[in-house]
Amino acid sequence: MTVTDRTGTDRTGTDRTAPVRKAPRGYLVVGRTVAIPMRRASVLAGAGLLVLLLAAAVTTLTWGRLGVDLADLPAALLGDAEGKDRFVFNRLRGPRLTVAIGVGAALGLSGALFQSVTRNPLGSPDVIGLSAGAGAGAAICALMFPDTVPVPVGALIGAVVAMAVVYLSTGTGFRNPARLVVAGIGVAAMGAAVTQYVVYALERDKASVLTAYVNGSLTARSWTDATTVWLVLLAAAPLTALISRRLDIGEMGDDIAEGLGSEPKKAKTLAVLLAVALSAAAVSVSGPIAFIALTAPQIARRLTRGSGPHLLLSALTGGLLLVLADLCSQQLALFDDLPVGIYTMAIGGAYLGYLLVREWRKGVL
């Protein structure tokens, strides 16, 4: 039983007479600063995406000649597998699957943050030059420091340099969406030019390895790679939750958001920094995988047919898309070990074509 004094305050210092703060409708409030959208459509879509992601993960681990038998999969997950199953799970498919989910989720979340900040459905790390900068960094390291700097480290350096150039060239940092996109397109063009020059200048065998990397690949990934991307993803998740409601309000316009006290400029800057960190982590372990960051937020938005950045759904959609693309990369017999980035390009191209036809039928184009 709690004892209160005559002023209505209990011995723990809580004001018993103060009105209870209710959560805004459609939000799950955690403490005084975090409000997570919890709409019915979003919950149903999230549950569906989780089921599909689980099914795709099980298929990845069990399908094919080297797959783990479905009956033996629980033992492999618990670390009790032996022989071939142990090797396949610990060295071949387990790390690759974990990296695919983490990279896809990081790219999907990064794309959702970019599109919310720029208010542009084409806003993504691909557009503002991050992926091209990563490819250029990987190419330069492969050419000039082949035995000194690992290609993933070069990709990370290239991504950071590209974002620094974009930040400085806009004159307003990451706060102006229009300048951000224009500067990013220029940096992307320069990064692509550097990459193509290096691929042309390298010896044929080295160029083939580099080409696979700059297109995005999940081949021969380790648990260390999985740890890298998941640590960044888990570190970014609470910060993303902190600004999710501000980004939701910001879609009504900066003036309204400012009037409601959401500080849109600070929210946008933090969102871009988080998006850059997530994309850089993804690129450092898998190379610049195209179109996941672009398409995942749009698919998530259409699943719920609601407003808002849909951050969690975008992460789930990105993970599902990349796992499905990697499943095609491993199992389709038409091509031998084709980089997963080629399949995501096909997915992105098909989706963009669908959008163009849809807008044309509406008479928008």
Side-chain angles (χ1 to χ4, degrees):
M1 181 176 66
T2 302
V3 179
T4 61
D5 58 21
R6 293 181 180 179
T7 64
T9 303
D10 61 24
R11 291 180 180 176
T12 64
T14 303
D15 187 359
R16 308 293 293 183
T17 63
V20 178
R21 185 187 179 196
K22 295 183 179 179
R25 185 176 181 180
Y27 287 87
L28 172 64
V29 174
V30 181
R32 294 182 176 273
T33 56
V34 178
I36 304 173
M38 292 291 289
R39 302 177 181 89
R40 175 183 173 86
S42 298
V43 173
L44 293 176
L49 288 170
L50 278 175
V51 171
L52 291 175
L53 182 57
L54 178 61
V58 171
T59 303
T60 298
L61 294 173
T62 59
W63 201 11
R65 182 172 57 87
L66 293 177
V68 178
D69 190 87
L70 186 60
D72 298 328
L73 185 58
L77 293 173
L78 295 174
D80 296 331
E82 299 291 341
K84 177 183 77 71
D85 289 350
R86 183 182 183 89
F87 176 78
V88 169
F89 182 80
N90 289 334
R91 300 292 294 275
L92 296 182
R93 297 195 180 181
R96 183 167 179 163
L97 172 64
T98 308
V99 170
I101 296 174
V103 168
L107 292 175
L109 182 56
S110 176
L113 290 169
F114 269 119
Q115 291 178 16
S116 177
V117 168
T118 61
R119 298 175 196 162
N120 187 338
L122 296 179
S124 76
D126 308 327
V127 174
I128 70 165
L130 189 146
S131 297
I140 290 173
C141 286
L143 174 64
M144 301 181 64
F145 312 103
D147 300 320
T148 305
V149 181
V151 173
V153 175
L156 181 59
I157 295 173
V160 173
V161 170
M163 289 301 94
V165 173
V166 170
Y167 182 90
L168 295 174
S169 61
T170 60
T172 57
F174 296 133
R175 293 191 295 273
N176 190 305
R179 293 186 181 183
L180 180 65
V181 172
V182 172
I185 291 174
V187 171
M190 291 187 290
V194 171
T195 301
Q196 293 302 320
Y197 170 77
V198 172
V199 171
Y200 178 80
L202 280 173
E203 298 176 8
R204 182 175 300 178
D205 56 342
K206 292 182 180 179
S208 63
V209 174
L210 178 62
T211 301
Y213 184 83
V214 298
N215 283 320
S217 176
L218 296 174
T219 304
R221 293 302 177 259
S222 66
W223 290 114
T224 300
D225 297 320
T227 301
T228 299
V229 68
W230 275 100
L231 282 177
V232 175
L233 190 60
L234 293 175
L239 296 175
T240 304
L242 284 173
I243 64 172
S244 61
R245 191 181 182 192
R246 293 186 179 186
L247 293 176
D248 202 354
I249 295 173
E251 294 199 350
M252 295 185 291
D254 288 350
D255 293 337
I256 296 177
E258 191 75 41
L260 294 174
S262 68
E263 298 180 312
K265 291 183 179 179
K266 291 183 179 179
K268 287 180 180 181
T269 299
L270 180 56
V272 171
L273 291 175
L274 287 172
V276 169
L278 289 165
S279 298
V283 166
S284 69
V285 300
S286 66
I289 295 177
F291 282 113
I292 294 294
L294 179 65
T295 56
Q298 294 301 308
I299 294 174
R301 183 183 293 268
R302 280 162 176 76
L303 286 175
T304 61
R305 299 184 181 274
S307 61
H310 301 292
L311 301 177
L312 179 58
L313 291 184
S314 297
L316 290 174
T317 304
L320 176 61
L321 288 177
L322 191 52
V323 170
L324 291 176
D326 189 47
L327 184 61
C328 293
S329 176
Q330 294 183 63
Q331 302 298 337
L332 286 185
L334 297 176
F335 308 99
D336 185 18
D337 220 6
L338 195 67
V340 69
I342 303 296
Y343 289 95
T344 62
M345 288 181 189
I347 293 172
Y351 185 71
L352 287 177
Y354 160 75
L355 287 182
L356 288 174
V357 172
R358 185 169 176 265
E359 296 302 313
W360 175 74
R361 287 180 176 176
K362 287 182 177 181
V364 177
L365 297 179

